[in-house]
Amino acid sequence: MVPHLITALTGPINELEQRILDTTPAIERWFRLEWMEHTPPFYSSVDIRNAGFKLAPVDTNLFPGGWNNLTPQMMPLAVQAAMAAIEKICPEARNLLVVPEHHTRNPFYLANVVQLKRIFHQAGLNVRFGSLSADIKEPTMMQLPGGESLVIEPLIRTDRRLGLKDFDPCTILLNNDLSAGIPGILEDLHEQHLLPPLHAGWTVRRKSNHFKAYEEISKRFGKLLGIDPWLINPLFAQCDDINFPEGRGMECLSTHVDALLSRIRRKYKEYGINEKPFVMVKPDNGTYGMGVMTVHDAKELDTLSRKTKNKMSTTKDGQPLSEIIIQEGVLTNERIGGAVAEPVVYMMDRYVVGGFYRVNAERGVDENLNAPGASFEPLAFSDSGRLPQNGEIPGSSGPNRFYMYGVVARLAMLAASYELEATDPDAEVYD
């Protein structure tokens, strides 16, 4: 099932699609060699924006929720990818402990957790859920609107292992991005695999590190394809020690916004693009679309309302927002039912397993769509995105477009593997 899309696929994007199709064998070999040297994140999702003249990732999530938004057709791919991932980490694994987010009474999030259980159950694992919340003191059943249920249990720490009552797992899967910090109960585990690792959480992780790694990868990939890396890479800058309500750090922010807009204008002029450049100002760490705003001119920062300043003061779990990434804004020219849309690609191990369109009728082409009013149109990459269709005219084939999205998403996933290697506190450092 492919949603009906109205998309401006002209100019550079058509050329990029053709180049990717022509270079598919070299691309797949390039990825294969990269994965021989680097370990992919256990699972990930990537938000992509298609401007018609540019296609780029704008966010990479290493603790993806939303598995419930994928189609049933993706299940075989997801199960195969889960098997491959587990075999690498703990081949003899019988038990998998999933640690979800605190807000486990959200029915949509619960549906995501249940979908993860289905995937790993079919991959041959006993799956149970343990909560970091102090409110969960005994096994607690959660009901879903569709009639399904799941049981959340209190975590038990014994010596240097983590588990549940009568449940000792080989592997612990975090579906909690640690925005509120790293709980001591997760530290210093003995002979247990914690996935993703603690330094993948937002306590440590920074988007600027990710996009720095992505920038380098896009240059190498651009050289492989013979294209300008800018066509797949969002420019960015970063500021520390920001406080919007107090006005601290605004000079740094204003300077970087102005400089980045100038760089984008030069690129637009080079490609004859008649759009107004903009940047997205958002937390350098954190998710859920919180603390995000669109800026078209640095002067806008001088007249921010109190409401906007307050919105930009905290992120998820009430964490103060003090580090900012300024990212080149990438328009979305895709529509579903008249509403703007952006593809989100889901991966497990090194494989694309599915995706959906995030649709938001209340937002514009230059705004963050991960906001109230968002809905999801599932897309089965197993049918339409895994394999390109040769001989099709660029821009005319859904499978080719979605294959292209999968390539860009895998580039972002590779950048995440570079990023995690660079920030691993246990990595050996050689002089």
Side-chain angles (χ1 to χ4, degrees):
M1 185 275 290
V2 178
H4 178 65
L5 288 166
I6 303 170
T7 312
L9 278 177
T10 58
I13 283 295
N14 276 357
E15 294 166 22
L16 176 62
E17 181 181 312
Q18 188 63 60
R19 196 66 61 92
I20 285 176
L21 295 176
D22 291 344
T23 321
T24 295
I27 290 171
E28 296 304 330
R29 178 178 181 274
W30 186 83
F31 275 120
R32 190 166 63 249
L33 294 176
E34 286 291 330
W35 295 129
M36 289 175 68
E37 300 292 332
H38 305 281
T39 302
F42 186 81
Y43 56 5
S44 56
S45 66
V46 178
D47 297 356
I48 295 174
R49 302 278 285 215
N50 177 2
F53 54 83
K54 177 173 183 143
L55 180 73
V58 294
D59 209 0
T60 300
N61 189 352
L62 300 183
F63 300 84
W67 289 91
N68 54 302
N69 294 318
L70 307 184
T71 63
Q73 290 92 331
M74 74 91 198
M75 186 63 82
L77 277 176
V79 170
Q80 286 179 332
M83 286 177 173
I86 291 292
E87 282 169 12
K88 277 195 241 174
I89 296 155
C90 188
E92 71 280 8
R94 288 192 185 91
N95 299 330
L96 177 70
L97 171 59
V98 178
V99 179
E101 292 279 2
H102 289 316
H103 57 266
T104 46
R105 295 192 184 275
N106 179 322
F108 299 105
Y109 180 74
L110 287 177
N112 153 73
V113 171
V114 168
Q115 183 75 309
L116 281 173
K117 181 175 182 177
R118 284 193 201 101
I119 292 168
F120 289 104
H121 177 75
Q122 292 192 35
L125 295 168
N126 301 312
V127 183
R128 285 166 67 176
F129 302 98
S131 177
L132 290 167
S133 173
D135 297 333
I136 303 292
K137 295 181 172 61
E138 59 185 6
T140 304
M141 182 173 286
M142 306 280 188
Q143 292 292 145
L144 276 71
E148 290 184 290
S149 63
L150 75 157
V151 176
I152 307 283
E153 302 177 61
L155 290 169
I156 298 173
R157 179 68 186 255
T158 57
D159 195 15
R160 291 174 65 192
R161 292 182 73 83
L162 184 67
L164 307 173
K165 185 179 180 182
D166 302 322
F167 192 75
D168 185 30
C170 164
T171 303
I172 300 159
L173 179 64
L174 292 177
N175 198 240
N176 181 315
D177 62 22
L178 307 178
S179 291
I182 298 174
I185 197 171
L186 297 178
E187 297 181 314
D188 300 319
L189 297 175
H190 181 61
E191 294 182 353
Q192 282 182 307
H193 301 277
L194 186 66
L195 302 167
L198 293 177
H199 67 280
W202 287 121
T203 310
V204 176
R205 189 176 179 230
R206 295 295 180 269
K207 294 174 186 176
S208 52
N209 288 334
H210 176 74
F211 283 102
K212 182 180 179 182
Y214 183 84
E215 184 175 54
E216 292 306 311
I217 287 169
S218 68
K219 288 176 182 175
R220 288 172 43 223
F221 190 76
K223 190 174 181 181
L224 175 72
L225 264 62
I227 62 164
D228 180 353
W230 177 75
L231 294 173
I232 57 171
N233 177 44
L235 305 174
F236 76 95
Q238 191 257 352
C239 280
D240 293 327
D241 196 24
I242 295 282
N243 186 305
F244 279 90
E246 295 178 7
R248 190 171 69 245
M250 297 304 287
E251 185 177 344
C252 171
L253 182 57
S254 181
T255 299
H256 281 303
V257 165
D258 199 43
L260 198 54
L261 285 169
S262 295
R263 291 176 67 193
I264 300 167
R265 283 189 202 99
R266 287 196 294 272
K267 278 295 182 183
Y268 278 20
K269 185 177 181 181
E270 178 184 341
Y271 283 95
I273 296 163
N274 296 315
E275 299 286 354
K276 187 174 183 180
F278 66 101
V279 297
M280 302 302 295
V281 175
K282 51 189 180 182
D284 202 12
N285 61 327
T287 184
Y288 282 80
M290 299 178 70
V292 179
M293 68 177 177
T294 304
V295 180
H296 295 87
D297 190 312
K299 293 177 183 176
E300 296 171 20
L301 299 172
D302 298 332
T303 56
L304 294 178
S305 67
R306 182 182 296 275
K307 181 180 177 182
T308 300
K309 289 178 180 179
N310 288 336
K311 183 188 84 167
M312 297 297 293
S313 65
T314 58
T315 60
K316 185 187 166 196
D317 292 334
Q319 296 300 302
L321 194 165
S322 62
E323 298 174 64
I324 288 291
I325 183 171
I326 307 106
Q327 189 179 67
E328 174 186 355
V330 182
L331 294 166
T332 178
N333 272 338
E334 297 196 285
R335 304 282 190 284
I336 295 178
V340 292
E342 64 185 8
V344 185
V345 179
Y346 272 59
M347 292 163 289
M348 193 171 290
D349 195 62
R350 60 193 178 110
Y351 305 103
V352 172
V353 298
F356 55 79
Y357 282 92
R358 181 182 288 116
V359 186
N360 198 323
E362 299 174 20
R363 293 294 173 115
V365 296
D366 60 353
E367 292 184 288
N368 169 41
L369 304 188
N370 188 10
S375 60
F376 307 95
E377 289 283 348
L379 169 69
F381 272 71
S382 56
D383 292 336
S384 58
R386 288 286 296 158
L387 300 174
Q389 303 294 312
N390 293 324
E392 297 283 349
I393 299 170
S396 67
S397 166
N400 288 345
R401 186 192 314 169
F402 301 130
Y403 175 73
M404 181 168 64
Y405 291 168
V407 168
V408 171
R410 284 185 287 162
L411 291 174
M413 175 171 57
L414 181 60
S417 72
Y418 278 48
E419 170 198 357
L420 292 179
E421 288 169 11
T423 56
D424 185 352
D426 298 322
E428 295 184 26
V429 179
Y430 300 96
D431 293 329

